[in-house]
Amino acid sequence: MSTAGTVHDFDVVIIGGGLHGCSAAYHLAQAKLKPVVLEKHVVARHASSASAGGVRRLGRDPAEIPLAVASIEMWHSMRDMLGDDGEFRATGQVRVAENAAELQKCEERAARVRALGYDHEVVIDRKELRRLVPQVAEHCVGGLHTARDGYAFPFKATTAFRLKAEELGAVVKEGTKVEAIERSGERWVVRTNHGQFRAPVLVNAAGAWGAEIARMVGDDPVEEPVALMMMVSGRMPHFLDPTVGCMGRKLSFKQMRAGTVVIGGGHVGTVDRETELTELDFRKLALSARTVSAVFPIMKDATLVRCWAGVEGFTPDDIPYIGPSKAAPNVFHSFGFCGHGFQLGPVVGSITAQLVTQGKTNLPIEPFRIDRFAGKDARVPAH
């Protein structure tokens, strides 16, 4: 039965059923509002289930550090907040220096972070690196360490926010594609393939398609979809606790509790914006595998069992869009997280709810404004 003419009224319409959309739904429902999440596929279809699940403050853009610091506290209280921790494990994160020059960069990075008033990034020497990461290659000389970071299971974390939001009264509509957005009096009218959804407030958490939604209300951000590739090995005996990256190479490396090893780091495939299908680049995956073997010799005999790519929105300056529309009233953006938005999911949902209910937030979001590239020839760098 067609539902194209049906009209549904809510307090807030959220476009996008990823982690950020579900987190916003939870925080808004917690504030006694009734939001609806419109997801054109299924919840966590793209980046929110295909990401590496890194929960890290380590290596953040300075603008993101205050948000990441606030968000890590929410990850540590996730079970109390949602009744489910999304399999968050606070195993720490390490960024490995493979030579003296990279170790010097670690010193400089830690000094910059301390100058901003934060002390979570700590330089470690060769001995401490071996203690934290016993199987790291002999040539590695030290690195950076953040003790309370870790990782979570992306789909389970997103689902935890979704289920708690629904328990509090939020509604999630999967298979519901936005076709048009109009202003009618004091309300937004979102036309979809399953009827119209009306609300005074609109939240854009549409991920790699966030810029398209933003243009429907008059904003004009710069964003490009990018297909980040991942690999996973067969099960191996336990040899690693922290999530590991490198100072000088593309690498994100973690061993899950089941023994499998998840490998990422920013190598990209290709994505078709219209069909939303991705294609893997096996030459880059081979390069990623060689990096892994160089840093972790134990992986030379590992068997890869699966590869995939998730679609994420990237911006010219590699930080997201967070905050109110500059072109339309009562519209709030939360997209373009450039492959590192997973850790920020809890706090950005909270920020969005604060903006909706209070008109302000106590966290600094000016660097993430939607119009920061207006009048500039800004482009997303090739990856």
Side-chain angles (χ1 to χ4, degrees), residues 36 67 73 86 103 131 157 171 204 222 227 251 295 343:
V36 59
L67 279 61
E73 301 305 322
L103 189 58
R131 187 186 73 79
V171 174
N204 173 16
V222 181
L251 177 67
V295 180
Q343 193 268 1

mmCIF file with all atom_site columns, all heavy atoms in Angstrom, residues 36 67 73 86 103 131 157 171 204 222 227 251 295 343:
data_model
loop_
_atom_site.group_PDB
_atom_site.id
_atom_site.type_symbol
_atom_site.label_atom_id
_atom_site.label_alt_id
_atom_site.label_comp_id
_atom_site.label_asym_id
_atom_site.label_entity_id
_atom_site.label_seq_id
_atom_site.pdbx_PDB_ins_code
_atom_site.Cartn_x
_atom_site.Cartn_y
_atom_site.Cartn_z
_atom_site.occupancy
_atom_site.B_iso_or_equiv
_atom_site.pdbx_formal_charge
_atom_site.auth_seq_id
_atom_site.auth_comp_id
_atom_site.auth_asym_id
_atom_site.auth_atom_id
_atom_site.pdbx_PDB_model_num
ATOM 1   N N   . VAL A 1 36  ? 12.344 11.661 14.781 1.00 0.00 ? 36  VAL A N   1
ATOM 2   C CA  . VAL A 1 36  ? 12.254 10.545 13.844 1.00 0.00 ? 36  VAL A CA  1
ATOM 3   C C   . VAL A 1 36  ? 13.545 10.531 13.034 1.00 0.00 ? 36  VAL A C   1
ATOM 4   O O   . VAL A 1 36  ? 14.029 11.584 12.602 1.00 0.00 ? 36  VAL A O   1
ATOM 5   C CB  . VAL A 1 36  ? 11.029 10.666 12.915 1.00 0.00 ? 36  VAL A CB  1
ATOM 6   C CG1 . VAL A 1 36  ? 11.049 11.947 12.089 1.00 0.00 ? 36  VAL A CG1 1
ATOM 7   C CG2 . VAL A 1 36  ? 10.932 9.441  11.998 1.00 0.00 ? 36  VAL A CG2 1
ATOM 8   N N   . LEU A 1 67  ? 36.331 18.247 21.790 1.00 0.00 ? 67  LEU A N   1
ATOM 9   C CA  . LEU A 1 67  ? 35.198 17.346 21.589 1.00 0.00 ? 67  LEU A CA  1
ATOM 10  C C   . LEU A 1 67  ? 35.601 15.901 21.877 1.00 0.00 ? 67  LEU A C   1
ATOM 11  O O   . LEU A 1 67  ? 34.847 15.143 22.507 1.00 0.00 ? 67  LEU A O   1
ATOM 12  C CB  . LEU A 1 67  ? 34.663 17.460 20.151 1.00 0.00 ? 67  LEU A CB  1
ATOM 13  C CG  . LEU A 1 67  ? 33.730 18.633 19.836 1.00 0.00 ? 67  LEU A CG  1
ATOM 14  C CD1 . LEU A 1 67  ? 34.395 19.993 20.063 1.00 0.00 ? 67  LEU A CD1 1
ATOM 15  C CD2 . LEU A 1 67  ? 33.189 18.536 18.416 1.00 0.00 ? 67  LEU A CD2 1
ATOM 16  N N   . GLU A 1 73  ? 34.898 10.476 27.753 1.00 0.00 ? 73  GLU A N   1
ATOM 17  C CA  . GLU A 1 73  ? 34.210 10.239 29.027 1.00 0.00 ? 73  GLU A CA  1
ATOM 18  C C   . GLU A 1 73  ? 32.864 9.559  28.790 1.00 0.00 ? 73  GLU A C   1
ATOM 19  O O   . GLU A 1 73  ? 32.435 8.710  29.589 1.00 0.00 ? 73  GLU A O   1
ATOM 20  C CB  . GLU A 1 73  ? 34.026 11.557 29.773 1.00 0.00 ? 73  GLU A CB  1
ATOM 21  C CG  . GLU A 1 73  ? 35.332 12.289 30.073 1.00 0.00 ? 73  GLU A CG  1
ATOM 22  C CD  . GLU A 1 73  ? 36.334 11.405 30.826 1.00 0.00 ? 73  GLU A CD  1
ATOM 23  O OE1 . GLU A 1 73  ? 35.909 10.626 31.684 1.00 0.00 ? 73  GLU A OE1 1
ATOM 24  O OE2 . GLU A 1 73  ? 37.548 11.528 30.519 1.00 0.00 ? 73  GLU A OE2 1
ATOM 25  N N   . GLY A 1 86  ? 28.464 -1.232 23.389 1.00 0.00 ? 86  GLY A N   1
ATOM 26  C CA  . GLY A 1 86  ? 28.920 -1.348 22.000 1.00 0.00 ? 86  GLY A CA  1
ATOM 27  C C   . GLY A 1 86  ? 30.255 -2.063 21.882 1.00 0.00 ? 86  GLY A C   1
ATOM 28  O O   . GLY A 1 86  ? 30.984 -1.870 20.922 1.00 0.00 ? 86  GLY A O   1
ATOM 29  N N   . LEU A 1 103 ? 60.344 9.794  15.892 1.00 0.00 ? 103 LEU A N   1
ATOM 30  C CA  . LEU A 1 103 ? 60.246 9.971  17.346 1.00 0.00 ? 103 LEU A CA  1
ATOM 31  C C   . LEU A 1 103 ? 60.314 11.451 17.709 1.00 0.00 ? 103 LEU A C   1
ATOM 32  O O   . LEU A 1 103 ? 59.629 11.906 18.639 1.00 0.00 ? 103 LEU A O   1
ATOM 33  C CB  . LEU A 1 103 ? 61.359 9.198  18.045 1.00 0.00 ? 103 LEU A CB  1
ATOM 34  C CG  . LEU A 1 103 ? 61.256 9.114  19.564 1.00 0.00 ? 103 LEU A CG  1
ATOM 35  C CD1 . LEU A 1 103 ? 59.941 8.475  20.007 1.00 0.00 ? 103 LEU A CD1 1
ATOM 36  C CD2 . LEU A 1 103 ? 62.433 8.321  20.148 1.00 0.00 ? 103 LEU A CD2 1
ATOM 37  N N   . ARG A 1 131 ? 56.851 -2.994 25.866 1.00 0.00 ? 131 ARG A N   1
ATOM 38  C CA  . ARG A 1 131 ? 55.957 -3.474 26.936 1.00 0.00 ? 131 ARG A CA  1
ATOM 39  C C   . ARG A 1 131 ? 54.499 -3.434 26.472 1.00 0.00 ? 131 ARG A C   1
ATOM 40  O O   . ARG A 1 131 ? 53.741 -4.370 26.711 1.00 0.00 ? 131 ARG A O   1
ATOM 41  C CB  . ARG A 1 131 ? 56.124 -2.607 28.192 1.00 0.00 ? 131 ARG A CB  1
ATOM 42  C CG  . ARG A 1 131 ? 55.360 -3.149 29.400 1.00 0.00 ? 131 ARG A CG  1
ATOM 43  C CD  . ARG A 1 131 ? 55.430 -2.195 30.578 1.00 0.00 ? 131 ARG A CD  1
ATOM 44  N NE  . ARG A 1 131 ? 54.599 -1.008 30.380 1.00 0.00 ? 131 ARG A NE  1
ATOM 45  C CZ  . ARG A 1 131 ? 53.285 -0.969 30.552 1.00 0.00 ? 131 ARG A CZ  1
ATOM 46  N NH1 . ARG A 1 131 ? 52.636 -2.062 30.951 1.00 0.00 ? 131 ARG A NH1 1
ATOM 47  N NH2 . ARG A 1 131 ? 52.615 0.150  30.347 1.00 0.00 ? 131 ARG A NH2 1
ATOM 48  N N   . ALA A 1 157 ? 27.716 -0.444 18.502 1.00 0.00 ? 157 ALA A N   1
ATOM 49  C CA  . ALA A 1 157 ? 27.629 0.866  19.161 1.00 0.00 ? 157 ALA A CA  1
ATOM 50  C C   . ALA A 1 157 ? 26.482 1.686  18.568 1.00 0.00 ? 157 ALA A C   1
ATOM 51  O O   . ALA A 1 157 ? 25.703 2.316  19.302 1.00 0.00 ? 157 ALA A O   1
ATOM 52  C CB  . ALA A 1 157 ? 28.950 1.613  19.017 1.00 0.00 ? 157 ALA A CB  1
ATOM 53  N N   . VAL A 1 171 ? 11.597 7.401  16.835 1.00 0.00 ? 171 VAL A N   1
ATOM 54  C CA  . VAL A 1 171 ? 11.123 6.501  15.782 1.00 0.00 ? 171 VAL A CA  1
ATOM 55  C C   . VAL A 1 171 ? 12.195 6.430  14.706 1.00 0.00 ? 171 VAL A C   1
ATOM 56  O O   . VAL A 1 171 ? 12.770 7.460  14.323 1.00 0.00 ? 171 VAL A O   1
ATOM 57  C CB  . VAL A 1 171 ? 9.793  7.000  15.185 1.00 0.00 ? 171 VAL A CB  1
ATOM 58  C CG1 . VAL A 1 171 ? 9.378  6.149  13.992 1.00 0.00 ? 171 VAL A CG1 1
ATOM 59  C CG2 . VAL A 1 171 ? 8.704  7.004  16.251 1.00 0.00 ? 171 VAL A CG2 1
ATOM 60  N N   . ASN A 1 204 ? 20.662 17.306 9.991  1.00 0.00 ? 204 ASN A N   1
ATOM 61  C CA  . ASN A 1 204 ? 21.286 16.675 8.836  1.00 0.00 ? 204 ASN A CA  1
ATOM 62  C C   . ASN A 1 204 ? 22.484 15.858 9.290  1.00 0.00 ? 204 ASN A C   1
ATOM 63  O O   . ASN A 1 204 ? 23.550 16.400 9.564  1.00 0.00 ? 204 ASN A O   1
ATOM 64  C CB  . ASN A 1 204 ? 21.715 17.751 7.833  1.00 0.00 ? 204 ASN A CB  1
ATOM 65  C CG  . ASN A 1 204 ? 22.539 17.187 6.679  1.00 0.00 ? 204 ASN A CG  1
ATOM 66  O OD1 . ASN A 1 204 ? 22.553 15.972 6.440  1.00 0.00 ? 204 ASN A OD1 1
ATOM 67  N ND2 . ASN A 1 204 ? 23.212 18.061 5.955  1.00 0.00 ? 204 ASN A ND2 1
ATOM 68  N N   . VAL A 1 222 ? 31.378 22.032 0.970  1.00 0.00 ? 222 VAL A N   1
ATOM 69  C CA  . VAL A 1 222 ? 32.199 21.217 0.076  1.00 0.00 ? 222 VAL A CA  1
ATOM 70  C C   . VAL A 1 222 ? 32.419 19.864 0.740  1.00 0.00 ? 222 VAL A C   1
ATOM 71  O O   . VAL A 1 222 ? 32.906 19.795 1.867  1.00 0.00 ? 222 VAL A O   1
ATOM 72  C CB  . VAL A 1 222 ? 33.563 21.889 -0.203 1.00 0.00 ? 222 VAL A CB  1
ATOM 73  C CG1 . VAL A 1 222 ? 34.382 21.032 -1.165 1.00 0.00 ? 222 VAL A CG1 1
ATOM 74  C CG2 . VAL A 1 222 ? 33.353 23.293 -0.750 1.00 0.00 ? 222 VAL A CG2 1
ATOM 75  N N   . ALA A 1 227 ? 35.849 6.115  -0.397 1.00 0.00 ? 227 ALA A N   1
ATOM 76  C CA  . ALA A 1 227 ? 35.673 4.712  0.012  1.00 0.00 ? 227 ALA A CA  1
ATOM 77  C C   . ALA A 1 227 ? 36.914 4.242  0.764  1.00 0.00 ? 227 ALA A C   1
ATOM 78  O O   . ALA A 1 227 ? 37.942 3.937  0.161  1.00 0.00 ? 227 ALA A O   1
ATOM 79  C CB  . ALA A 1 227 ? 35.433 3.831  -1.211 1.00 0.00 ? 227 ALA A CB  1
ATOM 80  N N   . LEU A 1 251 ? 48.374 3.237  8.564  1.00 0.00 ? 251 LEU A N   1
ATOM 81  C CA  . LEU A 1 251 ? 48.095 1.980  9.269  1.00 0.00 ? 251 LEU A CA  1
ATOM 82  C C   . LEU A 1 251 ? 47.161 2.217  10.440 1.00 0.00 ? 251 LEU A C   1
ATOM 83  O O   . LEU A 1 251 ? 47.346 3.145  11.229 1.00 0.00 ? 251 LEU A O   1
ATOM 84  C CB  . LEU A 1 251 ? 49.386 1.341  9.798  1.00 0.00 ? 251 LEU A CB  1
ATOM 85  C CG  . LEU A 1 251 ? 49.184 0.051  10.616 1.00 0.00 ? 251 LEU A CG  1
ATOM 86  C CD1 . LEU A 1 251 ? 48.653 -1.069 9.731  1.00 0.00 ? 251 LEU A CD1 1
ATOM 87  C CD2 . LEU A 1 251 ? 50.468 -0.371 11.302 1.00 0.00 ? 251 LEU A CD2 1
ATOM 88  N N   . VAL A 1 295 ? 55.740 -3.862 10.187 1.00 0.00 ? 295 VAL A N   1
ATOM 89  C CA  . VAL A 1 295 ? 55.623 -3.368 11.564 1.00 0.00 ? 295 VAL A CA  1
ATOM 90  C C   . VAL A 1 295 ? 55.323 -4.507 12.529 1.00 0.00 ? 295 VAL A C   1
ATOM 91  O O   . VAL A 1 295 ? 55.734 -4.473 13.698 1.00 0.00 ? 295 VAL A O   1
ATOM 92  C CB  . VAL A 1 295 ? 54.537 -2.279 11.646 1.00 0.00 ? 295 VAL A CB  1
ATOM 93  C CG1 . VAL A 1 295 ? 54.391 -1.754 13.070 1.00 0.00 ? 295 VAL A CG1 1
ATOM 94  C CG2 . VAL A 1 295 ? 54.868 -1.125 10.706 1.00 0.00 ? 295 VAL A CG2 1
ATOM 95  N N   . GLN A 1 343 ? 34.662 8.110  17.081 1.00 0.00 ? 343 GLN A N   1
ATOM 96  C CA  . GLN A 1 343 ? 34.886 8.469  18.493 1.00 0.00 ? 343 GLN A CA  1
ATOM 97  C C   . GLN A 1 343 ? 34.034 9.658  18.894 1.00 0.00 ? 343 GLN A C   1
ATOM 98  O O   . GLN A 1 343 ? 33.617 9.778  20.054 1.00 0.00 ? 343 GLN A O   1
ATOM 99  C CB  . GLN A 1 343 ? 36.378 8.770  18.714 1.00 0.00 ? 343 GLN A CB  1
ATOM 100 C CG  . GLN A 1 343 ? 36.797 8.841  20.179 1.00 0.00 ? 343 GLN A CG  1
ATOM 101 C CD  . GLN A 1 343 ? 36.720 10.255 20.766 1.00 0.00 ? 343 GLN A CD  1
ATOM 102 O OE1 . GLN A 1 343 ? 36.329 11.218 20.096 1.00 0.00 ? 343 GLN A OE1 1
ATOM 103 N NE2 . GLN A 1 343 ? 37.077 10.362 22.040 1.00 0.00 ? 343 GLN A NE2 1
#
